[in-house]
Amino acid sequence: MSDVIHDMTLLRKPFREQVEALLGMLAKENIPLAVYETVRSPLRQSLLYAVGRVETEPHFGRTITRARPYESAHQFGLAVDLVFRINGKWTWEEPEWGLWDRMQELAKAAELETLSFEKPHVQIPNFDHDRATMARGPTYVTGWLEWVKQTSVG
Ligand SMILES: [Zn+2]
């Protein structure tokens, strides 16, 4: 339940189509960004949230997300992380200056939202985690993937 999931079919529609449109635009411009992560389990979200927040750990102070479990659009099939894929390897360093900026522009053109503090992140505009969580019902870890599968159909 803490693995990285990159299955596009688990994303909700029409968000999924918007991401596909963005990927098409990126391919057209030969920008080597690929889908690194689509949906993310609440457990993995809590593990990522802890990074940089444990005083006794080496990366203390260097956090990687501001979202707790169910605060990220990833738990709702409404976000993806696009990372550079070069020679079969993932890299968070842009191979050429300005490619992250260009991705942000193209995402906007696809009517998607990006975050200035998390370069790879693309989500539906105006994601409201409180509203999404209310719609989800009680937040529990067991059954999350089944729920995501249900919401991605149709
Ligand atoms: Zn993200």
Side-chain angles (χ1 to χ4, degrees), residues 37 40 72 74 79-81 115 118 120-122:
E37 185 165 17
R40 181 186 297 152
S72 167
H74 284 290
V80 290
D81 289 340
L115 303 174
E118 278 180 39
H121 187 90
V122 177

Side-chain angles (χ1 to χ4, degrees), residues 71-124:
E71 288 181 356
S72 167
H74 284 290
Q75 275 87 73
F76 301 90
L78 296 171
V80 290
D81 289 340
L82 303 181
V83 174
F84 293 104
R85 183 88 175 152
I86 295 161
N87 299 326
K89 286 188 177 142
W90 296 107
T91 176
W92 277 252
E93 304 267 316
E94 54 186 1
E96 194 183 304
W97 188 84
L99 293 186
W100 279 129
D101 287 349
R102 185 62 185 146
M103 185 274 263
Q104 315 252 323
E105 283 173 12
L106 294 173
K108 208 170 191 180
E111 293 178 28
L112 292 165
E113 193 175 275
T114 55
L115 303 174
S116 60
F117 52 90
E118 278 180 39
K119 295 274 186 220
H121 187 90
V122 177
Q123 67 178 25
I124 59 147

